[in-house]
Amino acid sequence: MPKKQTIWQKAWKILAGLLTIAFPFLVIMLLPVGKVVTKLDALFGRLGAFSMIVFALIYVLDALVLGPAWLFALVAGLAFGLVKGGLLVWASATVTAAIGFLMARYFARHRIEKIAKKNEKYEAVDRAIKRHGWKVVLLLRVSPVLPFTISNYVYGLTAVDFVHYMIASAIGIIPMVAVYVSIGAAGREAMFAGAKPPHGETIAVIGE
């Protein structure tokens, strides 16, 4: 029988959820966006055609070691703009979801299972997926209940099959990807909107 939560525990969960949503906005507001965009443009400009490949590799590695994937989504918006940045993060996140799932199911199942069983959310997710399958994966991907990086491993321990998992994940991550990348892209657009090119020259934008 599940433990009854106290008012403070419920309040803390609500506050944590609100902070999770608000934090990316605070990061963009507090960062010196102009300097960040200039440095990103210079860095990815030097990489040329390989810039998106390098970014994708870094994103995947970061997410697999449970790093802040949302931060890289912001960076993608700042560096590549909304469309290119969004597609890049979506593709990288989809690849990460596949690798994390397969690692949990076939290569590190015992170790990950020991960690997951300590989390009460894992038991609830496992029960729900046994009853409703990929539909639960889709709903959880859309919501921020389970962090993206951790959930990739958690789903590999459940009964959901790989194909349905991948379809549900690829669709379900679209809203969150769009939110984070658009925040970064908005910061980039605001930076260039306030810039005045000298002598009528145009400003080169990686994402356009």
Side-chain angles (χ1 to χ4, degrees):
M1 187 175 179
K3 295 180 181 178
K4 191 174 180 180
Q5 293 183 342
T6 65
I7 294 174
W8 290 110
Q9 286 175 324
K10 290 179 180 178
W12 170 248
K13 284 190 175 182
I14 293 171
L15 179 61
L18 291 173
L19 286 173
T20 300
I21 296 169
F23 196 66
F25 292 96
L26 294 174
V27 170
I28 288 295
M29 289 172 64
L30 296 174
L31 276 176
V33 174
K35 291 182 180 179
V36 172
V37 170
T38 301
K39 288 183 178 180
L40 287 172
D41 283 357
L43 172 62
F44 289 121
R46 286 196 296 271
L47 293 172
F50 295 101
S51 60
M52 298 182 81
I53 296 173
V54 171
F55 177 90
L57 289 173
I58 294 173
Y59 180 99
V60 171
L61 289 173
D62 170 78
L64 288 176
V65 297
L66 307 183
W70 64 268
L71 182 57
F72 281 85
L74 289 180
V75 170
L78 286 169
F80 299 103
L82 179 59
V83 178
K84 284 186 179 180
L87 290 172
L88 178 59
V89 173
W90 176 80
S92 302
T94 301
V95 171
T96 303
I99 295 173
F101 181 96
L102 294 173
M103 284 178 63
R105 180 156 291 186
Y106 299 111
F107 302 108
R109 185 179 182 88
H110 181 65
R111 183 177 298 178
I112 295 171
E113 200 166 32
K114 284 173 66 177
I115 297 170
K117 282 186 174 179
K118 295 177 183 178
N119 191 319
E120 60 181 18
K121 288 182 181 178
Y122 164 68
E123 300 291 346
V125 169
D126 191 36
R127 287 194 301 270
I129 288 178
K130 282 178 181 176
R131 291 181 61 189
H132 304 289
W134 62 269
K135 295 177 185 177
V136 174
V137 177
L138 178 61
L139 290 173
L140 289 176
R141 286 299 198 191
V142 174
S143 73
V145 173
L146 273 179
F148 169 74
T149 52
I150 296 173
S151 65
N152 296 328
Y153 295 110
V154 170
Y155 294 131
L157 304 177
T158 66
V160 67
D161 69 272
F162 180 70
V163 174
H164 285 124
Y165 160 79
M166 286 305 302
I167 294 171
S169 293
I171 296 171
I173 63 175
I174 291 173
M176 294 306 291
V177 168
V179 168
Y180 288 125
V181 175
S182 63
I183 295 170
R188 181 183 182 87
E189 288 178 11
M191 178 263 186
F192 281 112
K196 295 181 180 180
H199 308 297
E201 296 177 358
T202 56
I203 300 175
V205 180
I206 294 177
E208 295 180 356

